[in-house]
Amino acid sequence: MPGPRANLELVQAVVDEGDEALFLRLLRYGPHEAPTNSPGEFLALCGVVGLGKLLAAGKSEALEMLRQLAADPRWRIREGVRMALERLGQKDMGWLIAEMEAWSRGSLLEQRAAAAALCEPQLLTESVHARGVLRILDQITASLCGLEDRKSAEFKTLRKALGYCWSVAVAALPEEGKPLMENWLVSDDRDVLWIMKQNLRKKRLTRMDAAWVEKWQAS
């Protein structure tokens, strides 16, 4: 694993060819045995994404393991959780949305995992799914307003994810997404405003409605 980018194509190949026994064995490479940027971290990443394959096959017990891994100190492992959940979404988006409703009321890193997993354009091709994702993003964003400690790494990680997630969901269902986003564009919470400004910079929103984006950027 040279450099910051993991070989994601190899990860997917391992998952496609692997089985439950392999994935559980790879998951033994925890943060102490395989810290960030070590070769073992890549093996653990493959195991995490493999849980998504098990989920898509109906093994619901993998969800609790992924929820615990959502708080792993290694950012690549947290990305693996997102990739695993997307595999479930490709199989059963309704199930994924229902499960992420619970995660959206959990810890900051669980909320981050929920938002990041749901906000994948290829998963939001149906209005009912985009609507559910918008509702979850709205809930997560509302929960930020009551937080006092905003200096933690966990908060910054969630804030960064929300800085692009809204644009994905709004672009998937503009007629319902734009009014929801507008509610937050007039917020007096500095972090919420930062999140919304980041989303306004995304090209997918400009392609959706350039005049709307320009209006809100000006204001």
Side-chain angles (χ1 to χ4, degrees), residues 177-205:
K178 287 194 292 185
L180 278 177
M181 191 168 166
E182 287 170 0
N183 290 336
W184 295 114
L185 281 163
V186 296
S187 172
D188 58 2
D189 187 289
R190 67 184 186 278
D191 289 302
V192 170
L193 284 178
W194 182 91
I195 289 167
M196 295 302 139
K197 289 177 180 178
Q198 294 301 308
N199 280 279
L200 284 177
R201 296 175 180 174
K202 302 299 182 285
K203 292 182 179 179
R204 63 176 63 93
L205 289 188

Side-chain angles (χ1 to χ4, degrees), residues 160-180:
K160 182 178 180 180
L162 292 176
Y164 77 87
C165 284
W166 269 96
S167 67
V168 176
V170 170
L173 192 62
E175 63 271 21
E176 296 183 31
K178 287 194 292 185
L180 278 177

Side-chain angles (χ1 to χ4, degrees), residues 1-2 9 37 49-50 73 91 106 113 118 126 151 180 197:
M1 190 172 58
E9 294 80 8
N37 294 331
V49 182
K91 180 74 173 183
L118 291 170
E126 297 185 23
K151 296 181 180 180
L180 278 177
K197 289 177 180 178

Side-chain angles (χ1 to χ4, degrees), residues 91-107:
K91 180 74 173 183
D92 190 338
M93 189 59 177
W95 182 14
L96 177 61
I97 290 174
E99 293 295 340
M100 294 305 98
E101 285 271 9
W103 288 35
S104 71
R105 295 186 291 272
S107 69

